[in-house]
Amino acid sequence: LPPTSQGKQRVAVVIPQLGPGGAESVLLDMVSALDRDRFEILLIATQSKNDLWRERWSDYVTHIYDLAQVIPPDRMVATVYTIVQNWHCDLVIVQNTMYGYAALQHIKRSRPQTKAMDVVHAIDENWDQAALTAEFAPAIDTRVALSFTAQRRLIESGTAAERVKLLHGGIQLDRFSASPVRQDGKQIFYAGRLDAFKRPLLLLDIAERLRTLRGGFDFRFVIAGEGPEMPRLQHEIRRRNLASIVDLRGQVDDLTPLYASSDILVLPSRTEGVPLVILEALACARPVVASNVGDIPELLEGCGIVVPLGASELDGYARALDKLLKDPDLRQRLGSEGRKKVAAAYDRRAATLSYSELFREHLSAKP
């Protein structure tokens, strides 16, 4: 058995990776609402390929288990179960790892007093987390939806509405200021993990279509992020001779200067919930052009341009970006409305209060 908790309650947080990501940012904020003087917090990562956020997590959790380094996949569920059992955890939070979901049903069977919660971020036809985890839903006390889309899909998949809790993430508003609009602005910014569902390679297609529309490369794309699509992205930039207008920055811990030096944020994902990069761009009074997925249409109403998925989306992105590049007054107006929207509905202080109330409902000690 582990050492005594000295009266603290124990919380296990089971995640896929120790690297950066939008869902991981929200979960990190949630965990930060737990007082380490009152709670002993275990972070269990099941599929990490890097540990870029290990230090950041260490500020809020007591123990970190990077299981992919030492445990084969066929033993992962049993290992998660064993850790939670041996530590006598009072609450288990699972986010986006099927190993964690599979362990929950065994945990609840042998330790029914342990509360279980999951966090559902983005849902689409390729990764319908609600449908994929429906068989484990009876073992989950509360399902936290981070978007209206996730909330709706969880209920459609059979989870009782009263067990679904809608919580929006928030940003630290005072970290971001409304930067002045540049009259000759020509910099388009993408920030996010370079995963296939984010479609970073589509940015190159958009750049080429925008060149055709504008009659030349009088603009540049700045891309911040790391991920499995990086090698293909680098190869395509070389093959298409786009190195002069595409600036790959890799992983950037503080995006604030890049929002300020850019004029538009573009996000061509095929699936999203409520992307933090959109909230941050709007907080900097930067307009956004993004896919018509998840909660993005509601989020960008009055402060951005939404592009439907489909055969005509390349033209849609090119026309939207061209329109904004040509009209600094429009960029100013949309950016100003975006800043107001984020300040009213997505301030981290309000989100933290919601997280604290959520934990208060599941744990006897107050966060």
Side-chain angles (χ1 to χ4, degrees):
L1 288 175
T4 176
S5 63
Q6 299 178 328
K8 296 180 182 180
Q9 289 187 284
R10 289 178 175 141
V11 178
V13 182
V14 190
I15 60 175
Q17 50 134 357
L18 290 172
E24 287 73 22
S25 294
V26 176
L27 194 61
L28 188 66
D29 286 343
M30 289 181 67
V31 172
S32 71
L34 289 165
D35 185 349
R36 285 180 64 174
D37 290 337
R38 298 180 179 179
F39 298 97
E40 197 165 9
I41 306 165
L42 289 68
L43 184 70
I44 304 170
T46 60
Q47 293 135 267
S48 280
K49 293 183 172 61
N50 67 68
D51 62 353
L52 294 176
W53 274 16
R54 176 184 284 270
E55 186 174 344
R56 187 175 298 192
W57 277 109
S58 296
D59 291 336
Y60 300 105
V61 305
T62 318
H63 312 281
I64 295 178
Y65 292 90
D66 190 1
L67 297 185
Q69 308 306 312
V70 292
I71 302 297
D74 63 340
R75 296 294 301 162
M76 194 63 68
V77 173
T79 303
V80 173
Y81 165 81
T82 300
I83 293 171
V84 172
Q85 279 293 105
N86 284 351
W87 280 95
H88 299 167
C89 292
D90 300 284
L91 172 65
V92 180
I93 305 171
V94 175
Q95 182 256 312
N96 213 25
T97 166
M98 296 304 291
Y99 295 118
Y101 280 107
L104 277 182
Q105 57 188 348
H106 303 294
I107 292 166
K108 292 290 281 188
R109 188 178 299 122
S110 62
R111 188 177 165 81
Q113 69 269 36
T114 296
K115 297 291 186 179
M117 180 189 305
D118 73 334
V119 179
V120 182
H121 180 57
I123 287 178
D124 73 348
E125 67 278 5
N126 296 303
W127 177 243
D128 187 343
Q129 190 176 344
L132 289 169
T133 61
E135 65 177 294
F136 308 114
I140 304 172
D141 297 287
T142 299
R143 312 202 70 177
V144 178
L146 297 182
S147 67
F148 291 112
T149 303
Q151 179 191 39
R152 183 171 59 251
R153 189 71 189 101
L154 284 169
I155 295 171
E156 291 171 351
S157 297
T159 300
E162 61 270 18
R163 290 202 292 120
V164 180
K165 181 83 169 180
L166 175 66
L167 292 179
H168 287 306
I171 63 170
Q172 191 176 335
L173 198 62
D174 57 9
R175 282 189 55 229
F176 306 94
S177 57
S179 303
V181 171
R182 303 185 303 175
Q183 294 299 307
D184 60 345
K186 296 291 189 296
Q187 184 160 297
I188 301 161
F189 183 40
Y190 167 90
R193 184 165 167 77
L194 301 182
D195 269 320
F197 81 90
K198 295 277 191 179
R199 302 196 297 176
L201 288 165
L202 193 65
L203 296 170
L204 307 185
D205 298 329
I206 293 170
E208 291 178 330
R209 191 65 57 93
L210 186 58
R211 173 185 59 181
T212 300
L213 195 60
R214 295 180 66 83
F217 282 134
D218 63 338
F219 56 87
R220 67 198 300 260
F221 277 68
V222 174
I223 299 175
E226 290 282 357
E229 291 290 277
M230 176 65 89
R232 289 183 63 201
L233 190 60
Q234 292 171 323
H235 171 76
E236 284 297 308
I237 289 171
R238 290 192 298 269
R239 188 181 71 81
R240 303 189 200 191
N241 296 315
L242 295 176
S244 62
I245 62 104
V246 178
D247 181 3
L248 286 179
R249 296 294 183 93
Q251 180 62 32
V252 178
D253 290 331
D254 183 8
L255 297 173
T256 310
L258 288 175
Y259 291 124
S261 63
S262 298
D263 303 283
I264 306 164
L265 178 79
V266 61
L267 194 65
S269 308
R270 70 166 185 260
T271 177
E272 286 288 356
V274 179
L276 287 180
V277 292
I278 288 184
L279 298 181
E280 292 175 353
L282 295 179
C284 293
R286 292 297 182 253
V288 178
V289 178
S291 300
N292 183 24
V293 296
D295 284 17
I296 289 176
E298 292 86 354
L299 186 57
L300 291 188
E301 185 175 359
C303 52
I305 299 176
V306 174
V307 179
L309 301 180
S312 62
E313 64 182 315
L314 278 181
D315 285 332
Y317 274 105
R319 287 195 300 268
L321 292 170
D322 181 54
K323 180 179 182 179
L324 290 171
L325 290 176
K326 287 178 176 176
D327 193 341
D329 290 337
L330 177 60
R331 297 201 305 273
Q332 171 70 48
R333 185 165 67 253
L334 294 179
S336 177
E337 289 302 313
R339 172 78 183 184
K340 292 176 185 176
K341 178 175 287 191
V342 172
Y346 294 96
D347 191 328
R348 180 177 290 175
R349 289 170 296 184
T352 300
L353 290 175
S354 298
Y355 303 148
S356 294
E357 181 59 31
L358 177 69
F359 292 129
R360 190 173 293 118
E361 293 172 2
H362 290 76
L363 295 162
S364 59
K366 292 185 178 181

